[in-house]
Amino acid sequence: MPDTLLQPDRGQPARSIALIAPDAYDEWLAAQPPRVRTALAAQRFTGKSGSHAIYADEDVQAIVVAAAPDVWTLAKLAEALPAGTYRVGGAIGPAALGWLLGQYRFDRYRRADDTGARILLTQDAAGIEETLRLAAATGWVRDLVNTGAGDLGPAELEAAAERLARDHQASVTITRGDALATGYPLIHAVGQAAVKERAPRLIELEWGDPAHPRIALVGKGVVFDTGGLDIKPSAGMRLMKKDMGGAAHALALASLVMAARLPVRLHLLIPAVENAIAGNAFRPGDVLRSRLGPTIENTNTDAEGRLILADALTRAGEAHPELILDFATLTGAARVALGPDLPPLFTDDETLAADLLAAGTALDDPLWRLPLWDGYDEMLKSDIADMVNAPDGGFAGAITAALFLRRFVPKDTIWAHMDVFAWRPSARPGRPKGGDAYALRACYALLKRRYGTR
């Protein structure tokens, strides 16, 4: 998405988009010339809330009827209008972001469908830079998740982190090989069956003044998940290129934090692995030792995401951050409970929960809180080790996965876990089918609120 799609309105020539409240439509229509009323009548346009019409006129090119502009008010128009420059009378607020996202295209594997640019002029010049950053971050998540696993392995995630570091003068540390096996045994165990070129690693990026509050962003980076020896059926494996969606979210959120120069000491951690099948793949029944120390009876090789996150969360906690946010495409149970649109939010901190939920509602980027129910913690008991990674039976699967992660977060650290889907199963205006960002804008708003005024 080019930065030129959103520009300050300095009175340059442009076609108009009329944004009308539903209860004002009849009055607006009565004031229009006969040619406009005839054009709308021919389309049987009635001014229903959420509807739009496109027509030719000397000035007005389109009309959108909406109670109030939200993120997606203009998204469908941005897809449907012919190339050109447009303006909307009055403030458009968050709808500018939808205008940009409505023009997102993933064309890495096919000839670009060049329908031309649709430029929107806005009177909110001060908000342009931030809106462009949000659109770019969302587009980056989409691009990473949409990329085939053959073209995006642990090395490519490492390269993405290094490019981000160069852009913002951050430092990157990569742990692999013997150092990974010794220091991060769970990450090593999950990824050890991959070919050498796709070997597992822990990617760490640090940025900001060490004197500022330390925060950690952790993203699950399983670049492809076969399920391991507990192999997935073909239908379950079809979308597993998206299993690094948590890493994509963490990278994108880190980019927003650094671009805004929030006064924080940022620590980004991505355990990057491929859960492959080979003679040295980790097995059901293996007992694995974690970086923190507790042993884990591996009851399911397809519950690998929580294993690699456990070591990454441990590493994040060793630096004593005041806040940890983690993102992971972790459980099918979360989708069964809440579907694709609502990422479950898990946290023991009431203030953090309230702030994240409020930000999600305000920004049309919702989350839904699920409990870290202590009564289910006993489901993680093992007969031969300190815990299992996946309880039998499947009850409360998203909750028990979050409870497993909680064991690796320091008790005095504020922490939230987002079980994101990272995929849009069907298209909506501004949100094409495929990879997508969930809770990204809500988390960024939270960080700006907490740290942006220092």
Side-chain angles (χ1 to χ4, degrees):
M1 291 172 287
D3 289 351
T4 55
L5 295 181
L6 189 62
Q7 299 180 17
D9 190 346
R10 299 188 175 96
Q12 55 268 59
R15 299 167 180 168
S16 294
I17 298 172
L19 185 59
I20 308 296
D23 57 3
Y25 174 70
D26 289 341
E27 181 180 352
W28 177 89
L29 184 64
Q32 301 309 302
R35 63 180 180 276
V36 172
R37 296 198 299 270
T38 299
L40 293 174
Q43 297 183 49
R44 298 182 180 179
F45 188 74
T46 61
K48 180 181 178 182
S49 181
S51 62
H52 78 272
I54 300 172
Y55 57 93
D57 189 57
E58 295 175 358
D59 180 32
V60 175
Q61 172 72 23
I63 177 174
V64 180
V65 179
D70 64 17
V71 173
W72 311 115
T73 297
L74 300 178
K76 192 170 184 179
L77 269 186
E79 301 171 10
L81 284 168
T85 301
Y86 299 87
R87 67 163 47 88
V88 179
I92 56 175
L97 178 61
W99 178 273
L100 297 175
L101 295 179
Q103 298 183 69
Y104 168 84
R105 301 291 184 272
F106 181 69
D107 54 16
R108 175 170 179 166
Y109 299 114
R110 61 185 178 188
R111 183 178 300 174
D113 182 16
D114 186 8
T115 58
R118 299 157 189 86
I119 298 167
L120 183 65
L121 305 180
T122 175
Q123 297 175 3
D124 181 20
I128 289 177
E129 184 177 359
E130 178 87 329
T131 303
L132 289 171
R133 287 201 297 252
L134 287 168
T138 303
W140 195 20
V141 173
R142 292 175 177 181
D143 286 348
L144 288 169
V145 174
N146 284 329
T147 299
D151 293 317
L152 199 153
E156 286 73 26
L157 281 181
E158 178 182 331
E162 289 178 337
R163 287 193 300 272
L164 184 62
R166 286 194 298 270
D167 288 343
H168 297 282
Q169 294 77 54
S171 62
V172 173
T173 302
I174 308 298
T175 306
R176 56 166 70 85
D178 291 341
L180 188 75
T182 302
Y184 303 92
L186 295 177
I187 299 174
H188 171 76
V190 172
Q192 66 187 3
V195 296
K196 181 180 179 181
E197 294 77 16
R198 299 170 72 84
R201 65 206 68 190
L202 176 65
I203 304 163
E204 296 181 77
L205 177 151
E206 293 214 45
W207 171 88
D209 187 340
H212 288 156
R214 175 177 279 270
I215 65 170
L217 307 178
V218 182
K220 174 187 169 186
V222 178
V223 297
F224 192 78
D225 183 17
T226 65
L229 293 176
D230 288 311
I231 190 168
K232 293 177 181 289
S234 58
M237 216 181 295
R238 174 67 179 84
L239 288 181
M240 283 302 101
K241 68 177 184 179
K242 77 173 186 66
D243 213 20
M244 40 58 64
H249 281 73
L251 282 164
L253 183 54
S255 75
L256 289 168
V257 168
M258 292 188 286
R261 303 201 64 80
L262 294 186
V264 297
R265 179 63 172 176
L266 174 67
H267 190 189
L268 168 70
L269 303 98
I270 296 174
V273 304
E274 179 164 11
N275 189 15
I277 298 174
N280 63 335
F282 75 127
R283 307 166 186 82
D286 283 354
V287 176
L288 309 171
R289 185 170 295 278
S290 65
R291 177 178 177 84
L292 188 63
T295 55
I296 301 161
E297 180 187 359
N298 178 40
T299 50
N300 189 339
T301 63
D302 197 20
E304 83 297 334
R306 66 200 70 182
L307 294 175
I308 65 172
L309 286 171
D311 273 357
L313 288 167
T314 298
R315 171 70 186 107
E318 290 166 358
H320 307 292
E322 68 176 44
L323 174 67
I324 299 176
L325 302 178
D326 84 64
F327 302 85
T329 52
L330 203 61
T331 66
R335 310 287 77 80
V336 172
L338 298 178
D341 289 350
L342 285 175
L345 163 67
F346 295 91
T347 182
D348 280 326
D349 188 274
E350 297 300 323
T351 300
L352 179 62
D355 288 348
L356 276 171
L357 293 173
T361 299
L363 298 172
D364 198 12
D365 192 24
L367 301 102
W368 196 270
R369 191 180 184 188
L370 291 183
L372 286 161
W373 184 251
D374 291 332
Y376 293 157
D377 203 57
E378 65 180 12
M379 294 184 183
L380 296 172
K381 288 181 178 178
S382 167
D383 294 332
I384 61 172
D386 293 318
M387 67 188 86
V388 299
N389 63 326
D392 293 334
F395 286 150
I399 297 173
T400 55
L403 290 170
F404 178 90
L405 296 180
R406 186 176 68 172
R407 295 188 177 199
F408 298 90
V409 177
K411 293 187 182 298
D412 60 349
T413 300
I414 299 172
W415 162 71
H417 160 60
M418 272 71 63
D419 192 336
V420 296
F421 192 40
W423 190 263
R424 185 76 54 184
S426 57
R428 296 180 184 176
R431 293 151 287 181
K433 181 179 179 180
D436 209 354
Y438 292 84
L440 176 66
R441 290 179 286 115
C443 288
Y444 177 52
L446 168 92
L447 295 177
K448 284 198 300 179
R449 177 178 176 180
R450 287 200 167 201
Y451 303 107
T453 57
R454 297 193 184 196

